[in-house]
Amino acid sequence: MYKQVRHIIALTLFSLLLAGCTLGPDYLRPEVDTPLAWKEGAPWKEAAPMDGAPKGSWWEIYGDPVLNGLEEEAAAANQDLRAAAARVDQARALARIDEADLLPRVDLNPAAGRARTPGDFAFGGKGVTGDSYSVPFDLSYEIDLWGRVRRSAEASRADAGASLADYRNVLLVLQAEVAGNYFALRSLDAEIALLERTVGLRRENLELVASLFEHGQVGRLDVARAETELATTEAEALGVQKRRAELEHALAVLLGRAAAGFALSPAPLDLTPPAVAPGLPSSLLERRPDVGAAERQMAAASARIGIARTAFFPAIRLTGSAGYASTEASGLFDWDSRSWALGPAVSLPIFEAGRNRANLNRARAAYEEAVAIYRRQVLVAFAEVEDALSGLRVLAAQADAQGRAVGAAREAAEISDKRYQAGFVSYLEVVDSQRTSLQSERQAVQILGQRLQASVSLIKALGGGWNMEPGQAG
């Protein structure tokens, strides 16, 4: 008996020595064609994914305490973010399950029972009734000859890393949406303030024109035009208020709050977009969590190729049992009641009708898909940065031109008003000049809001904030 035990132990040790073999390709990050410089002129350098690097409170560069509070509240209560955090916990738990297979499994399975053996099966032809008691420790362990268990654990760890990167991406998108919606709402606040001020001016004009009409200096047509402009401006103000309410409701959802219980006091936009420091795009691939997630999904797909390849080779499982068994409870733990069993079980694929080959081909195709998704994500990342950089450049030039247009439109409106009161022109010229002035000022406010939102888009495209000083995005 002891000779047989030695043979089993020798076979087990030999199998463990072979367990260093791991099938399948070792993961290497694929190369991606990248530009030498940004089209918009900012320098660039290749970098390895570091989406886990601290991003900091990048929104503080705008110096808005209300925005700071909204960002903190969203990070604490947003439901999409909580769901993403739960997915991370699930992925980590699955990784721990697969890593547990690297070690033997031992179970305690005590049992007690009473049974009768029929006479036809009992020795002597007489039925027997008796008790049985057992307290065995059962062992089960897959000898990882070809690395199936190790590849499974590797794939699960990569999946957990991808899930964590997805969480960081949800957080970054949430922060950017809060900031973008906030600036859009403040831009509407500025428009509403401008329209309300214009409504006041329109009322004054209507009173003036009505007085002139009463004294016979102008016709009823001028009064009708003044009334039209007042009503039109009031309608425009109401339309902007509707859009503001919708943005306020969207912010409430981002904060994890009911729309009915959330409100922001009006505060016209009065911020300067932060300057883009040179050299920021050099950290693109280090900071974008979506690129990091795609890279880890590639690693998981690569490991699953190895898992698929192990199906072509024998699987050896070591099973054993040791404990006590007796027909009497009082003698269960006596030395003579001890029992044990130990031995390997081998499973060798003989005929599987091409199933394993098809599974391997599927794993390889899944890896190629993951590579294509990763490369596309890198290209998307570059395109989003280019969009944000060009948007900031164009909007800055547009803001400068619009500023000149606002000044000229205001001057034209003042001149037209004076000419009308002097009786040189009709009220139609006043209407046109005032309408142009209002449109120019509203457009200037909208451009400012777009510039702030474009700066948020750039920070998001670059993967978040990093070592930034107030007033500078970099």
Side-chain angles (χ1 to χ4, degrees):
M1 179 182 293
Y2 290 107
K3 185 177 181 181
Q4 294 175 343
V5 173
R6 286 199 299 270
H7 287 165
I8 293 174
I9 294 175
L11 176 61
T12 302
L13 292 175
F14 178 70
S15 300
L16 291 173
L17 289 175
L18 292 177
C21 177
T22 304
L23 298 179
D26 291 329
Y27 172 70
L28 292 174
R29 186 181 303 115
E31 295 182 358
V32 180
D33 292 335
T34 54
L36 298 178
W38 297 107
K39 183 186 296 184
E40 291 298 322
W44 177 87
K45 73 175 180 65
E46 185 177 1
M50 288 182 61
D51 51 279
K55 304 296 191 298
S57 301
W58 54 263
W59 51 87
E60 292 181 355
I61 63 171
Y62 298 101
D64 191 318
V66 176
L67 175 60
N68 297 343
L70 294 176
E71 292 286 2
E72 293 175 2
E73 186 175 351
N78 179 264
Q79 298 305 308
D80 287 336
L81 191 61
R82 288 182 176 179
R87 289 193 292 271
V88 173
D89 291 340
Q90 294 176 56
R92 286 174 172 171
L94 289 173
R96 286 194 292 269
I97 291 172
D98 285 335
E99 289 173 350
D101 289 338
L102 294 168
L103 300 174
R105 176 173 177 170
V106 179
D107 298 310
L108 175 63
N109 297 301
R114 182 175 178 82
R116 183 181 187 278
T117 303
D120 291 345
F121 295 95
F123 180 76
K126 185 178 180 180
V128 177
T129 300
D131 299 328
S132 63
Y133 303 91
S134 63
V135 183
F137 289 87
D138 295 330
L139 176 143
S140 177
Y141 177 61
E142 180 178 348
I143 299 174
D144 198 21
L145 285 176
W146 319 113
R148 187 195 70 81
V149 177
R150 279 167 288 166
R151 289 299 191 194
S152 296
E154 180 183 331
S156 294
R157 286 193 296 268
D159 284 336
S163 181
L164 180 58
D166 285 337
Y167 167 82
R168 294 187 180 117
N169 191 54
V170 171
L171 176 59
L172 178 60
V173 171
L174 170 64
Q175 293 168 343
E177 285 187 356
V178 169
N181 285 359
Y182 177 77
F183 289 137
L185 184 144
R186 290 311 187 203
S187 176
L188 293 180
D189 281 345
E191 281 195 65
I192 292 172
L194 175 61
L195 288 168
E196 288 178 346
R197 188 169 64 251
T198 304
V199 166
L201 294 175
R202 295 284 191 271
R203 287 199 180 99
E204 292 178 1
N205 285 345
L206 178 58
E207 292 174 359
L208 173 62
V209 174
S211 175
L212 293 175
F213 173 70
E214 290 176 359
H215 291 82
Q217 299 181 18
V218 298
R220 175 60 190 169
L221 178 61
D222 288 357
V223 177
R225 284 172 175 166
E227 290 173 343
T228 300
E229 286 303 301
L230 173 59
T232 300
T233 307
E234 289 175 338
E236 289 178 354
L238 291 172
V240 175
Q241 288 173 1
K242 175 181 175 294
R243 297 203 302 274
R244 185 192 189 279
E246 291 170 349
L247 279 174
E248 195 173 60
H249 300 160
L251 272 173
V253 174
L254 294 176
L255 301 181
R257 297 172 59 176
F262 175 75
L264 278 179
S265 300
L269 197 60
D270 186 21
L271 294 173
T272 301
V276 180
L280 289 184
S282 64
S283 301
L284 171 63
L285 294 185
E286 294 180 357
R287 302 184 178 281
R288 284 189 62 124
D290 54 345
V291 174
E295 192 268 339
R296 290 172 182 87
Q297 287 165 357
M298 271 194 311
S302 176
R304 291 191 175 97
I305 295 176
I307 297 172
R309 291 192 62 185
T310 62
F312 292 89
F313 298 88
I316 300 179
R317 179 169 291 276
L318 182 65
T319 60
S321 178
Y324 295 89
S326 175
T327 58
E328 297 180 2
S330 60
L332 177 59
F333 294 104
D334 291 345
W335 181 250
D336 288 338
S337 298
R338 69 190 186 280
S339 64
W340 63 269
L342 180 67
V346 180
S347 174
L348 178 64
I350 300 299
F351 178 73
E352 35 73 31
R355 184 179 292 104
N356 291 341
R357 176 62 58 184
N359 190 47
L360 177 59
N361 291 338
R362 183 204 61 79
R364 287 172 173 164
Y367 174 72
E368 293 300 325
E369 178 190 12
V371 171
I373 291 174
Y374 170 74
R375 287 175 171 160
R376 178 187 178 280
Q377 198 60 46
V378 172
L379 295 176
V380 168
F382 283 118
E384 287 180 353
V385 175
E386 292 285 6
D387 287 345
L389 288 172
S390 62
L392 284 172
R393 175 180 58 80
V394 172
L395 286 170
Q398 189 176 1
D400 181 66
Q402 192 62 35
R404 297 195 301 271
V406 168
R410 285 175 178 172
E411 183 178 4
E414 292 175 359
I415 294 173
S416 296
D417 186 61
K418 292 177 180 179
R419 284 163 57 86
Y420 173 73
Q421 293 186 39
F424 296 144
V425 296
S426 69
Y427 193 68
L428 180 60
E429 180 178 311
V430 175
V431 168
D432 287 340
S433 61
Q434 288 183 347
R435 188 179 300 163
T436 301
S437 178
L438 174 60
Q439 183 178 356
S440 297
E441 291 190 56
R442 288 185 65 184
Q443 191 167 356
V445 170
Q446 292 168 1
I447 291 173
L448 176 57
Q450 291 170 10
R451 292 179 66 192
L452 289 166
Q453 292 179 68
S455 67
V456 172
S457 296
L458 176 61
I459 294 173
K460 173 178 172 288
L462 292 170
W466 53 95
N467 301 324
M468 294 183 294
E469 299 295 334
Q472 179 175 303

